[in-house]
Amino acid sequence: MRKWIALLLVLAMGLALFTGCGSKEPAATEAPAASSNSSAEPAPSSDQEIVTVKVSYPCLVVVPSPDATVAVEEAINNHLSEIGSRIRMKLDPVDGMSYATTIDMQQIGGEEVDLYMALGNLSDMVNSNKVQPITDYVHTALQPALDLTGDTLIDATTFYGEVYGFPCYKTTALTYYLVVDTEVAENDLGLKLGDKLTIDQVTEKLAILHEKYPSKIAMGVRPGANGTPNNFCLSALYGTAEYYKVVDLGNGVCTIGDEPVIRNMYDSDYFMQVCKTAYAWNQAGYVNKDASVATEEGYDLLKADRAMSYIIGYGGYNPRITDGASDSTHQRSVMYIPITSTMNTPSGLDWCVSYGCKNPEAACEALSLFYTDSFVMNTLLCGVEGRDYVDTGLGTAEDKVVDFPEGLDAFSVPYYAYFTCGIMGNEYLDWVYIKADGTFEDKRADNLKFMQDAVPSPVYGFTLDTANIKNAAAAISNVETQYLGGLLTGELDPEVYIPEFLAALESAGINDVVAEAQTQLDAWVAAK
């Protein structure tokens, strides 16, 4: 999804002693999860030690400069001082494309890392001792956040009876859309707002686009990040309840359908179908040349008039036509045509406390603010009022509807991190941006209901523990690196290369992973 990631830096305050964890359309509707902005908290006692927590978070699309971030950090810390919190924040924005590697290098090099985001690999981080348990703080420092999210959310971050992460509170059920220029959608493809497509119908539309615009890319590939290969989102599309109902557990294994049975994901009709569709698109000339190594996003290609469409997923259900004047992503009006929606599964976006953090309780206190304090959350996302955003007055003091200062946009204000709103904590606290025509959409309540009503994962909360299969998991990852990029972008014929892929996976130990995962799943089911 395009709610990606963002930044900040450091400012000491007052004469108090600072210590780091790692070192000495009308008015907006109310958000479904109300802010507790902490304004009623008592002031700290004069001898209460102020603790600075370094927050590292991934940023894509827009990465604010350290200079721009200083003022944001100062605004947050002034607010924390005013409400009597002992917490101060040192904000560390990291380029999302290299986030995992950067954090690893910081930890290995002994740099300060306190609070940071696990992007879908928490089990590996636990078993490599990169994070420390936060169980002792779940019902103390994190209790305000837990009151909001409920206990179920942390099931997927619990290993060996200990909690190691706190998931983002967000709409984890996504709807995937075909995104096309509005005039092209209406005039060439015969589509209108409210239509819905099957995957086969998407293929039919690509054939039309390729015939009418042969010099352009009919379907832009999605470049992978953090080890994910380039793809067309077909694994997600075919994995939904409307198709095969797949829960990808990582390390090459999954469940398919409603039964708690572990499968080799790559030895399935599901995976063959994914690869056959990608291969058909590639061989027909619908996609990027050298799709497996392409680096440009579909929305950038569409903006540059080099691609006709791409597929993307967003939380909730919001088919729409954008206003070309305010659509800075595409610089034109585009139509979002829904294809299918995913099941409700854990996001894999988990906030963790680094093993080197010296004050994990303070880190958890800081983390709780991402779920409960509207000012902290939105200053981190939107920046400094007056410089980076303006309050339109259409919302409330805590739940604002905002706009860019006159003449500026997301790419020209000093600080903008709103693309990160899906991973910062409680996305239902996010302020709403007004559109160029003076209207705005507040979809937060709708998105929350969509998540609550979505088809639940049959194994929601189960996470595969890789402690007993480290060697096999590493070997499988190497094999996946060799084959997946070509298969998921249709550069490799699945009839030829999937059997070869499966043989390599068997040699890597995938049968051992299947057996271990089944043992863990059986125990999990028995304990429910």
Side-chain angles (χ1 to χ4, degrees):
M1 23 182 325
R2 182 129 191 257
K3 291 181 169 183
W4 296 67
I5 342 279
L7 20 60
L8 292 75
L9 194 35
V10 57
L11 188 65
M13 308 177 63
L15 299 176
L17 175 64
F18 285 74
T19 60
C21 286
S23 62
K24 203 131 288 250
E25 292 178 343
T29 61
E30 290 293 326
S35 164
S36 69
N37 234 24
S38 305
S39 56
E41 291 185 14
S45 61
S46 59
D47 60 348
Q48 176 170 285
E49 184 180 57
I50 300 299
V51 183
T52 298
V53 176
K54 182 180 178 184
V55 181
S56 302
Y57 47 105
C59 312
L60 283 180
V61 185
V62 176
V63 181
S65 69
D67 288 343
T69 301
V70 167
V72 178
E73 185 178 84
E74 180 179 16
I76 290 174
N77 287 336
N78 283 338
H79 166 75
L80 294 175
S81 176
E82 290 171 359
I83 66 173
S85 173
R86 68 170 181 150
I87 300 300
R88 303 292 182 268
M89 294 188 187
K90 176 180 179 180
L91 301 164
D92 176 34
V94 179
D95 185 344
M97 296 299 289
S98 57
Y99 180 75
T101 301
T102 299
I103 297 297
D104 280 348
M105 295 305 295
Q106 288 178 353
Q107 289 179 316
I108 292 170
E111 295 184 43
E112 177 188 5
V113 180
D114 295 333
L115 190 60
Y116 72 109
M117 166 63 63
L119 296 174
N121 60 344
L122 181 58
S123 174
D124 292 341
M125 291 164 62
V126 170
N127 289 314
S128 56
N129 296 315
K130 294 178 181 177
V131 296
Q132 57 180 292
I134 57 174
T135 314
D136 291 345
Y137 315 111
V138 167
H139 293 294
T140 53
L142 282 166
Q143 187 64 53
L146 196 68
D147 289 341
L148 182 72
T149 66
D151 292 347
T152 304
L153 205 62
I154 58 174
D155 287 351
T157 62
T158 301
F159 301 84
Y160 320 112
E162 299 275 7
V163 179
Y164 282 88
F166 205 91
C168 292
Y169 186 50
K170 59 176 289 156
T171 307
T172 54
L174 311 181
T175 299
Y176 279 84
Y177 304 89
L178 179 70
V179 184
V180 189
D181 177 278
T182 301
E183 290 187 6
V184 170
E186 293 175 342
N187 299 333
D188 296 329
L189 303 182
L191 294 168
K192 63 183 183 301
L193 188 62
D195 286 343
K196 183 179 178 182
L197 298 172
T198 65
I199 301 174
D200 288 342
Q201 288 171 330
V202 171
T203 301
E204 294 170 2
K205 301 305 181 185
L206 295 182
I208 295 171
L209 293 175
H210 182 60
E211 181 179 358
K212 286 183 174 287
Y213 305 94
S215 64
K216 297 182 182 179
I217 299 165
M219 169 61 67
V221 74
R222 297 301 314 280
N226 293 303
T228 303
N230 289 7
N231 63 88
F232 302 109
C233 299
L234 288 167
S235 297
L237 296 177
Y238 280 116
T240 63
E242 292 182 55
Y243 290 91
Y244 287 91
K245 201 171 189 180
V246 175
V247 180
D248 183 353
L249 299 170
N251 301 287
V253 299
C254 69
T255 62
I256 299 178
D258 292 315
E259 295 302 313
V261 177
I262 299 294
R263 299 280 305 276
N264 175 348
M265 184 169 66
Y266 304 120
D267 188 12
S268 65
D269 293 340
Y270 154 74
F271 185 69
M272 179 62 79
Q273 184 66 70
V274 168
C275 297
K276 280 186 173 181
T277 300
Y279 186 68
W281 289 1
N282 192 304
Q283 300 309 297
Y286 300 161
V287 307
N288 313 54
K289 292 180 180 178
D290 302 321
S292 65
V293 293
T295 58
E296 293 179 279
E297 284 279 4
Y299 44 77
D300 288 327
L301 293 171
L302 187 58
K303 179 167 62 176
D305 204 28
R306 292 166 51 203
M308 301 305 300
S309 74
Y310 66 96
I311 294 172
I312 195 167
Y314 286 108
Y317 187 80
N318 187 25
R320 62 198 183 278
I321 294 175
T322 68
D323 172 38
S326 61
D327 190 340
S328 59
T329 300
H330 305 96
Q331 294 184 351
R332 67 182 69 195
S333 174
V334 299
M335 185 182 294
Y336 286 78
I337 307 104
I339 305 170
T340 184
S341 299
T342 65
M343 293 178 286
N344 189 6
T345 60
S347 69
L349 301 174
D350 306 311
W351 282 100
C352 304
V353 177
S354 173
Y355 72 90
C357 178
K358 293 183 172 60
N359 194 329
E361 181 179 27
C364 289
E365 287 180 36
L367 177 56
S368 189
L369 293 168
F370 293 162
Y371 297 80
T372 60
D373 193 303
S374 177
F375 183 87
V376 170
M377 266 288 297
N378 287 288
T379 301
L380 183 59
L381 296 174
C382 304
V384 177
E385 185 171 5
R387 185 193 73 171
D388 305 310
Y389 75 89
V390 293
D391 183 359
T392 66
L394 296 173
T396 66
E398 290 186 4
D399 191 19
K400 298 178 181 179
V401 177
V402 298
D403 195 4
F404 296 108
E406 185 175 357
L408 300 177
D409 61 17
F411 301 95
S412 57
V413 292
Y415 182 97
Y416 183 76
Y418 201 79
F419 291 136
T420 244
C421 61
I423 69 155
M424 279 316 301
N426 175 9
E427 74 170 12
Y428 306 112
L429 285 183
D430 297 348
W431 291 341
V432 177
Y433 271 85
I434 200 166
K435 296 192 241 180
D437 63 3
T439 64
F440 64 91
E441 286 185 303
D442 185 354
K443 302 291 293 184
R444 294 171 297 177
D446 290 343
N447 288 344
L448 180 61
K449 185 175 188 308
F450 179 81
M451 177 179 69
Q452 293 169 339
D453 293 345
V455 175
S457 160
V459 292
Y460 189 98
F462 173 73
T463 302
L464 176 61
D465 179 3
T466 59
N468 296 331
I469 49 172
K470 287 182 179 180
N471 293 337
I476 288 167
S477 178
N478 290 335
V479 175
E480 289 173 329
T481 300
Q482 183 179 353
Y483 286 93
L484 278 184
L487 287 168
L488 294 179
T489 56
E491 292 178 351
L492 299 179
D493 183 346
E495 298 284 4
V496 174
Y497 284 94
I498 285 183
E500 185 178 310
F501 182 30
L502 294 176
L505 288 168
E506 186 170 354
S507 297
I510 194 155
N511 292 336
D512 294 335
V513 176
V514 170
E516 172 65 19
Q518 189 65 63
T519 298
Q520 292 183 27
L521 182 57
D522 289 344
W524 180 83
V525 170
K528 284 181 69 68

